[in-house]
Amino acid sequence: MKFICALLVVDDMEKSKAFYTGVLGLKILSDFGENVTFEGPFALHLKKHYRGLIGNLDIKSSANNSELYFEEDDLEKLQNELKARGAEFVHEIREQPWKQRVLRIYDPSKNIIEIGESLEFTAYRLWKEGMKEEEIGRVLYMGTEFVKEAIRKFEQ
């Protein structure tokens, strides 16, 4: 078996395509009308069409039980851009227990989109803030070698 992509059900395909391309800057790989695939890979499927594919079962919106995850190291800049584009925030930049900073927004159908700094950037940021490599490795649940590589990557 081979995993291909995640699929989110959306209420309005045109509004959703505008959000993912215009607000998040993602590229559409294929557009079949009721089903659109983006780089990532993930796909969107129009709710009224998808419902028919699953035997007219009920589809609940705003369940807050799943999300798409993306990474961007300049979260402050991105947060400001998302605000300017009218994105609806689940929450603004917040530090997770393992010190990674993330923000979450809703797409037009109330699917959650999480955007976090990469763990490599988190390691580098913590090191720049004065934390020791061994402690960073423990906090991130990554080895010290991972931390050293991350520092080297961002120090270049």
Side-chain angles (χ1 to χ4, degrees):
M1 180 178 346
K2 178 182 173 184
F3 177 76
I4 301 301
C5 75
L7 180 140
L8 296 178
V9 175
V10 299
D11 298 310
D12 183 321
M13 186 59 76
E14 293 308 311
K15 206 182 239 186
S16 296
K17 286 191 309 190
F19 172 82
Y20 284 97
T21 59
V23 175
L24 295 184
L26 301 178
K27 182 180 175 189
I28 293 175
L29 297 178
S30 56
D31 186 340
F32 302 107
E34 296 94 356
N35 184 289
V36 176
T37 304
F38 290 85
E39 283 183 333
F42 73 96
L44 302 178
H45 206 113
L46 187 61
K47 183 187 283 186
K48 66 182 178 183
H49 185 262
Y50 188 75
R51 183 179 288 130
L53 299 177
I54 61 170
N56 293 317
L57 294 172
D58 189 36
I59 299 172
K60 295 175 177 51
S61 296
S62 299
N64 293 326
N65 63 1
S66 63
E67 66 182 23
L68 291 180
Y69 174 73
F70 297 90
E71 291 186 339
E72 170 60 49
D73 292 334
D74 193 346
L75 282 180
E76 287 81 8
K77 178 181 175 190
L78 177 64
Q79 181 172 273
N80 290 334
E81 290 172 357
L82 291 170
K83 284 181 180 180
R85 293 177 179 156
E88 180 183 354
F89 283 80
V90 175
H91 64 77
E92 294 186 15
I93 296 172
R94 172 183 296 176
E95 192 171 87
Q96 303 298 295
W98 54 93
K99 303 288 188 192
Q100 180 189 32
R101 295 179 320 140
V102 305
L103 60 84
R104 289 181 176 90
I105 59 175
Y106 286 115
D107 78 359
S109 296
K110 298 288 190 185
N111 294 303
I112 296 176
I113 308 300
E114 177 183 349
I115 306 166
E117 62 188 8
S118 65
L119 288 179
E120 292 91 350
F121 186 79
T122 303
Y124 175 70
R125 179 179 54 78
L126 294 173
W127 177 75
K128 290 289 281 186
E129 292 171 0
M131 193 179 281
K132 302 277 186 240
E133 293 172 358
E134 296 78 21
E135 185 181 359
I136 296 168
R138 280 193 304 278
V139 168
L140 292 179
Y141 303 100
M142 306 297 274
T144 305
E145 192 54 42
F146 171 87
V147 174
K148 289 178 181 180
E149 279 296 314
I151 293 167
R152 279 192 288 275
K153 175 182 174 180
F154 286 97
E155 276 293 288
Q156 296 177 354

